[in-house]
Amino acid sequence: MLSYQHAYHAGNFADVHKHLVLYSVIDHLLRKESSVTYIDTHAGRGRYPLDAEETVRLGEYRDGAEKLWKEREQLAEDPLLADWLEGLAAAQSQQSPKALDHYPGSPWWLAQRLREQDALRLFELHPREHEHLSRQRLADRVRHVHGDGLSGLIDALPVATPRLCVLVDPSYERKEEYGEVAATLLEAMRKARHGIMLVWYPLLPAERHEALLDALKAGGLRKIWRSELTVASPQRERGMYGSGMLVINPPWGLDRRLEDAMARLAPVLGDASCHRGDWWVPE
Ligand code: SAM
């Protein structure tokens, strides 16, 4: 039974982190003409009105996207953040927005930058979330699939385009999901060796993400860059104290670009916030 709804968390610090990494990967991919298939295994609703009852209830975006929005002038001194903030502005309901009224989810960030030659496949298992997503007006070449994104990813490989970029962003409602994600990624990398795969994971006091990271290393994958944003200390926080992203096969230069952007972004989220980027498994 699925109970997680991303609308409760839309625009929080983890979303901002995840979508900045995703944005930066897309940016690198767009430097070449050859076509890309994007696969989003856990798509969610696509775009979230910040005045929705669920989103207002926890108001997590106030400690995430809203803080960045308020500081957008100084953040825009970093070129990657400047572009990302322009993307965020484009997701608002007004043309020259002063206030933030929507937060865009991963399908939106992906669809916005889809070219003629690219394809995008969005998996969402929850019937209501899938229905919300299907109502979004994204690009023409977007395929919506109501179903399991992990088995869907394996079935979709290999893809017809020369390049592949996958986002795996589960809710980790069940602790078995860490192992399922690792097994799926190992299988996916066997079928698509050159694919770029991004995986999000929460940093929680139980540190369950370590099983995921260890399994990828033990499975023999190479070239895994890790980005972790912490906003509180694990000892003091009962809930999520940070957000992690792995990028398998990152484009050259991605690490440096993101480290610069995150160094500027983290302090805006709070005094306790900091970012660490390193190679979980080097080349
Ligand atoms: N990627 C989205 C974004 O960045 O805006 C947020 C995704 S949210 C963290 C996780 C989503 O995965 C939820 O909407 C949930 O309903 C969906 N979900 C859970 N299990 C799934 C599965 N096995 N396959 C596809 N979607 C699933």
Side-chain angles (χ1 to χ4, degrees):
M1 179 65 193
L2 293 168
S3 58
Y4 180 89
Q5 286 178 50
H6 196 66
Y8 285 96
H9 311 286
N12 67 6
F13 75 90
D15 259 4
V16 162
H17 174 224
K18 173 196 318 171
H19 296 142
L20 186 67
V21 176
L22 176 65
Y23 186 92
S24 181
V25 169
I26 301 169
D27 226 31
H28 279 263
L29 286 168
L30 296 184
R31 292 176 188 178
K32 289 190 185 152
E33 270 306 302
S34 73
S35 51
V36 186
T37 295
Y38 297 95
I39 299 179
D40 188 347
T41 59
H42 296 72
R45 293 186 186 185
R47 186 165 170 260
Y48 300 86
L50 295 175
D51 64 358
E53 201 186 321
E54 304 95 315
T55 312
V56 169
R57 183 149 341 145
L58 301 181
E60 291 187 8
Y61 71 92
R62 293 191 192 284
D63 288 326
E66 191 173 80
K67 283 192 170 170
L68 304 191
W69 186 253
K70 285 183 179 155
E71 296 298 330
R72 60 193 183 281
E73 261 178 46
Q74 67 108 341
L75 288 172
E77 284 170 27
D78 175 89
L80 173 61
L81 286 171
D83 291 349
W84 185 83
L85 285 160
E86 248 179 59
L88 184 58
Q92 306 309 308
S93 52
Q94 310 238 313
Q95 260 202 337
S96 308
K98 292 221 160 41
L100 203 63
D101 55 26
H102 282 77
Y103 185 78
S106 50
W108 190 94
W109 289 105
L110 288 161
Q112 279 294 306
R113 304 180 83 203
L114 213 60
R115 303 165 302 179
E116 276 295 308
Q117 63 268 46
D118 301 329
L120 169 58
R121 206 175 293 193
L122 304 170
F123 289 92
E124 173 53 54
L125 189 57
H126 196 297
R128 200 172 44 215
E129 301 300 282
H130 174 71
E131 201 185 306
H132 272 286
L133 180 63
S134 303
R135 275 192 247 122
Q136 300 283 337
R137 287 225 205 118
L138 300 169
D140 289 344
R141 289 165 311 289
V142 180
R143 207 175 128 201
H144 298 255
V145 186
H146 178 206
D148 173 33
L150 295 183
S151 57
L153 168 63
I154 299 301
D155 293 345
L157 300 180
V159 292
T161 54
R163 295 186 297 158
L164 166 71
C165 174
V166 177
L167 172 66
V168 181
D169 179 22
S171 45
Y172 300 99
E173 279 177 280
R174 296 174 295 110
K175 60 177 187 298
E176 295 77 21
E177 276 182 279
Y178 294 92
E180 292 165 6
V181 167
T184 302
L185 284 165
L186 290 170
E187 176 66 10
M189 290 305 295
R190 266 191 288 275
K191 294 184 92 176
R193 285 186 183 283
H194 303 293
I196 300 174
M197 313 239 172
L198 295 89
V199 194
W200 180 82
Y201 53 90
L203 296 176
L204 296 160
E207 312 290 7
R208 292 210 170 99
H209 67 282
E210 287 173 0
L212 163 63
L213 270 65
D214 289 343
L216 296 180
K217 192 183 268 186
L221 294 190
R222 315 293 304 164
K223 273 182 89 178
I224 308 181
W225 188 68
R226 168 173 64 173
S227 166
E228 289 186 352
L229 171 68
T230 49
V231 295
S233 94
Q235 290 79 27
R236 297 192 56 192
E237 193 59 42
R238 283 176 57 224
M240 186 166 68
Y241 69 85
S243 158
M245 278 293 267
L246 295 178
V247 187
I248 306 171
N249 281 337
W252 191 84
L254 182 93
D255 49 347
R256 176 57 73 78
R257 232 176 140 212
L258 274 166
E259 278 181 46
D260 288 351
M262 291 303 299
R264 193 174 276 272
L265 181 153
V268 171
L269 294 175
D271 293 341
S273 297
C274 73
H275 176 256
R276 177 182 67 156
D278 64 0
W279 287 90
W280 173 242
V281 188
E283 200 149 349

